[in-house]
Amino acid sequence: GAGVSQTPSNKVTEKGKYVELRCDPISGHTALYWYRQSLGQGPEFLIYFQGTGAADDSGLPNDRFFAVRPEGSVSTLKIQRTERGDSAVYLCASSLTHPGTQYFGPGTRLLVL
Amino acid sequence: QQQVKQSPQSLIVQKGGISIINCAYENTAFDYFPWYQQFPGKGPALLIAIRPDVSEKKEGRFTISFNKSAKQFSLHIMDSQPGDSATYFCAATVRDDKIIFGKGTRLHILP
């Protein structure tokens, strides 16, 4: 389909390891968003990109989290020195413009052991 | 500080009944109030949304009621069906910027 895709769908890692989560937005969408959804909670905003640049990264919890979108399409969320508290579903969304209706991907379920 | 408070946490409704989910907010700068539906293993999907200049919006079996003075809004699902069983999130934004979600309501419709 033509929706937002995220890979991997599941990721299990050990505490202290580095992980990368990938998001492929809907083709042509200029804005891309990352959210984190902990168990039993609503999604929480992390960062959004307009084109290649991070327009708002105020939701990133600390400097272990970083995201890039080098060509204005695919984005990668990078987490260094993972902690058990990072376990959550990481959701990506894209919109044609910002502001605009955000379309969410299925998420990557991250488990840090 | 939770900016959007949602209740109940879970809800069980008989098929054909009315499901009602309530939300309250504090930030008067919010100017867009969407509701999202999320099925297990899927991302949230926009269901219906309202701006504070209207008190009600209806789309099919789904209605949002909005009370600006009370800073409350609610989702009503008429003639609830088993296929409506999902988690529902109310949300709010300022100028359609980053979405602030409630904690969600897990809705189960009994067949």
Side-chain angles (χ1 to χ4, degrees), chain A residues 36-44 91, chain B residues 38 89 101-104:
Chain A
R36 178 168 70 175
Q37 186 173 20
S38 301
L39 192 63
Q41 303 292 316
E44 293 180 299
L91 294 164
Chain B
Q38 185 176 31
F89 294 95
F101 287 86
K103 289 192 172 184

Side-chain angles (χ1 to χ4, degrees), chain A residues 86-104:
Chain A
D86 298 335
S87 297
V89 175
Y90 289 81
L91 294 164
C92 175
S94 69
S95 63
L96 186 61
T97 60
H98 178 83
T101 299
Q102 296 180 29
Y103 297 88
F104 284 81

Side-chain angles (χ1 to χ4, degrees), chain B residues 34-85:
Chain B
W35 283 88
Y36 287 82
Q37 179 187 57
Q38 185 176 31
F39 292 104
K42 304 291 186 183
L46 179 64
L47 187 63
I48 187 174
I50 197 168
R51 296 199 182 274
D53 53 346
V54 298
S55 60
E56 184 175 285
K57 183 173 182 180
K58 183 176 181 179
E59 291 184 1
R61 295 184 295 109
F62 300 90
T63 300
I64 300 177
S65 296
F66 188 84
N67 185 330
K68 186 174 181 179
S69 61
K71 292 186 286 187
Q72 295 175 346
F73 58 111
S74 61
L75 176 70
H76 292 63
I77 306 175
M78 312 300 287
D79 186 25
S80 300
Q81 298 297 311
D84 297 331
S85 297

Side-chain angles (χ1 to χ4, degrees), chain A residues 5-6 11-12 15-16 21 27 31-32 35 38 40-42 44 50-51 55-56 59 62 70 78 84 94 103 111-112:
Chain A
S5 62
Q6 294 186 245
K11 176 71 177 178
V12 181
K15 179 175 178 293
L21 312 178
S27 179
L32 184 147
Y35 293 81
S38 301
Q41 303 292 316
E44 293 180 299
Q50 183 61 53
D56 183 350
N62 51 60
K78 307 180 181 192
R84 294 193 180 88
S94 69
Y103 297 88
L111 178 61
V112 181

Side-chain angles (χ1 to χ4, degrees), chain B:
Chain B
Q1 180 186 0
Q2 188 182 353
Q3 296 198 52
V4 180
K5 294 184 179 180
Q6 183 172 349
S7 63
Q9 188 173 352
S10 61
L11 181 62
I12 299 174
V13 175
Q14 290 282 351
K15 179 183 175 184
I18 303 173
S19 304
I20 302 174
I21 303 170
N22 300 298
C23 284
Y25 64 96
E26 289 297 324
N27 187 351
T28 56
F30 287 142
D31 58 5
Y32 183 66
F33 300 88
W35 283 88
Y36 287 82
Q37 179 187 57
Q38 185 176 31
F39 292 104
K42 304 291 186 183
L46 179 64
L47 187 63
I48 187 174
I50 197 168
R51 296 199 182 274
D53 53 346
V54 298
S55 60
E56 184 175 285
K57 183 173 182 180
K58 183 176 181 179
E59 291 184 1
R61 295 184 295 109
F62 300 90
T63 300
I64 300 177
S65 296
F66 188 84
N67 185 330
K68 186 174 181 179
S69 61
K71 292 186 286 187
Q72 295 175 346
F73 58 111
S74 61
L75 176 70
H76 292 63
I77 306 175
M78 312 300 287
D79 186 25
S80 300
Q81 298 297 311
D84 297 331
S85 297
T87 299
Y88 292 81
F89 294 95
C90 62
T93 77
V94 178
R95 295 187 303 276
D96 297 330
D97 202 351
K98 58 192 176 191
I99 304 170
I100 308 299
F101 287 86
K103 289 192 172 184
T105 296
R106 187 170 294 185
L107 175 64
H108 182 64
I109 307 301
L110 297 174

Side-chain angles (χ1 to χ4, degrees), chain A residues 18-63:
Chain A
Y18 167 84
V19 296
E20 290 190 350
L21 312 178
R22 175 187 169 109
C23 172
D24 281 85
I26 294 172
S27 179
H29 280 197
T30 63
L32 184 147
Y33 310 79
W34 283 100
Y35 293 81
R36 178 168 70 175
Q37 186 173 20
S38 301
L39 192 63
Q41 303 292 316
E44 293 180 299
F45 170 81
L46 295 177
I47 184 172
Y48 108 83
F49 290 86
Q50 183 61 53
T52 61
D56 183 350
D57 65 357
S58 61
L60 294 178
N62 51 60
D63 61 6

